[in-house]
Amino acid sequence: MRKGLLFILMITLSVLLAACGSSEDQTESADDSNTNAEEETKDTKWNELQDEGEIVVGTSGTLFPASYYPEGSDELTGYDVELMREVADRIGLDLKFEEYGVDGLLAAINSGRIDAVINDFQVTKEREEQFAFSDPYKYSYSTMIVRESDLSGIESLEDLEGKKHGGGATTVFSQIAEHFGATTKTYGNVTNDVYLRDVENGRTDFIINDYYLQSLALKALPDIEVQLHPDLQFHPTSSSIVMPKDATKLQEEINATLQEMHEDGTLTKISEEFFGGKDASKKPEQEIREIEGLDL
């Protein structure tokens, strides 16, 4: 009788263990399936690029010295352009640039016409809700171009009230100008001289933009009677490559490549070529005014 009971208990225990094993196997299988599904979603854009062997990147082609055509040349170049060429080469993809006005670049990602954007774009909270960003490849801060004759009547950011700013409608710089009470005159995909001459002749009063870009634009166009404001340095910035929100694998590949380019000095070398010997790939050392009350 005891042997029979022992035999029954052993059979019951075996069934329970088998059932537990089956449940665990099913759980592990489900976990594996979820992981595979996540990886598949994560790799969608990357797999697409691998299949095509090419990445299409949007840029303006009019933003000196980030993305522009040298006088008399039909070859696109600039800090952002040459950096992106190096990134694409290192991740094993051919590169094609498509040119858009600044306000059309992010829309071109959303429509699927391009795979990424590089055009001195800053990361903002609003943009992060819609797009993925690489680690920064450039650090800077904002400055202001004003008329040489009277600094456009501006001594502080608070003096922007009622002034007219020249810039793109969707830029951080226009947000800053409007935060302090200015209005923005918007442009299409025009070159720097158009912006500068409008300040000179009074159609606009000032232009907020990146320190490196503005200082070099002024150097390239010395005949226009405008200058950087001597006392206003504000809004520390960083620039990143913009990608579709779900392009996680592409983001990882680009970030790893940028890190490699930081470490081997490639970013410094490209920066010094386009920014007058200055290294824009590192954070500036001076104190820059933060803009309070503006959610960027």
Side-chain angles (χ1 to χ4, degrees):
M1 180 68 179
R2 288 181 180 177
K3 289 182 179 180
L5 181 59
L6 182 59
F7 178 74
I8 292 171
L9 288 172
M10 289 175 66
I11 292 295
T12 302
L13 181 59
S14 297
V15 171
L16 287 172
L17 288 173
C20 289
S22 176
S23 176
E24 289 173 359
D25 290 344
Q26 290 173 0
T27 301
E28 290 175 2
S29 177
D31 289 341
D32 289 343
S33 296
N34 289 337
T35 299
N36 291 337
E38 290 173 2
E39 288 297 321
E40 186 175 345
T41 300
K42 171 181 171 180
D43 290 350
T44 299
K45 171 56 72 175
W46 180 248
N47 289 338
E48 175 186 313
L49 296 176
Q50 292 290 293
D51 290 342
E52 296 176 356
E54 180 183 70
I55 182 169
V56 181
V57 177
T59 193
S60 67
T62 59
L63 187 63
F64 178 84
S67 170
Y68 70 103
Y69 290 91
E71 187 175 353
S73 173
D74 58 1
E75 179 70 23
L76 184 66
T77 190
Y79 177 59
D80 289 26
V81 170
E82 300 307 327
L83 179 150
M84 194 67 225
R85 286 192 171 120
E86 182 69 18
V87 169
D89 182 62
R90 294 194 187 198
I91 63 177
L93 294 172
D94 291 336
L95 174 62
K96 178 183 178 183
F97 283 110
E98 293 283 355
E99 293 171 30
Y100 294 86
V102 173
D103 293 336
L105 285 166
L106 298 183
I109 291 183
N110 282 332
S111 68
R113 286 173 287 173
I114 58 177
D115 304 307
V117 162
I118 188 165
N119 203 69
D120 206 48
F121 265 87
Q122 299 173 34
V123 181
T124 67
K125 291 181 180 178
E126 182 179 356
R127 288 173 180 169
E128 279 189 306
E129 292 175 0
Q130 303 178 61
F131 304 97
F133 289 84
S134 72
D135 293 335
Y137 62 83
K138 174 174 170 281
Y139 295 92
S140 187
Y141 53 91
S142 297
T143 52
M144 185 185 303
I145 287 178
V146 291
R147 282 184 290 279
E148 282 184 358
S149 58
D150 61 352
L151 302 184
S152 299
I154 299 167
E155 294 183 6
S156 70
L157 291 176
E158 285 68 27
D159 292 331
L160 301 185
E161 179 79 36
K163 300 287 187 182
K164 186 173 289 186
H165 171 246
T170 62
T171 65
V172 169
F173 308 117
S174 291
Q175 286 181 255
I176 294 172
E178 291 161 12
H179 175 72
F180 286 99
T183 57
T184 296
K185 170 180 169 60
T186 60
Y187 296 79
N189 200 25
V190 299
T191 52
N192 286 332
D193 63 298
V194 177
Y195 286 90
L196 300 187
R197 291 196 186 280
D198 274 2
V199 173
E200 179 187 44
N201 61 36
R203 289 194 182 97
T204 59
D205 298 301
F206 67 101
I207 305 164
I208 294 176
N209 211 303
D210 173 77
Y211 160 72
Y212 290 108
L213 301 186
Q214 289 198 323
S215 58
L216 287 170
L218 292 178
K219 185 177 180 180
L221 299 163
D223 61 311
I224 303 177
E225 296 182 357
V226 294
Q227 68 172 67
L228 286 181
H229 198 291
D231 303 318
L232 301 180
Q233 298 86 36
F234 49 95
H235 183 53
T237 62
S238 61
S239 301
S240 297
I241 299 168
V242 194
M243 293 159 275
K245 183 70 172 176
D246 60 353
T248 310
K249 177 64 174 174
L250 176 61
Q251 182 185 42
E252 290 175 357
E253 292 289 332
I254 288 178
N255 282 343
T257 302
L258 289 174
Q259 180 62 34
E260 182 182 273
M261 291 167 65
H262 268 294
E263 293 172 354
D264 67 18
T266 302
L267 284 185
T268 297
K269 181 179 178 181
I270 298 174
S271 174
E272 289 176 346
E273 178 184 352
F274 290 99
F275 293 115
K278 297 177 181 178
D279 189 358
S281 71
K282 297 177 181 177
K283 293 182 180 180
E285 296 180 354
Q286 66 265 51
E287 186 175 340
I288 310 299
R289 176 180 170 179
E290 296 274 5
I291 305 298
E292 297 180 359
L294 183 58
D295 188 18
L296 295 173

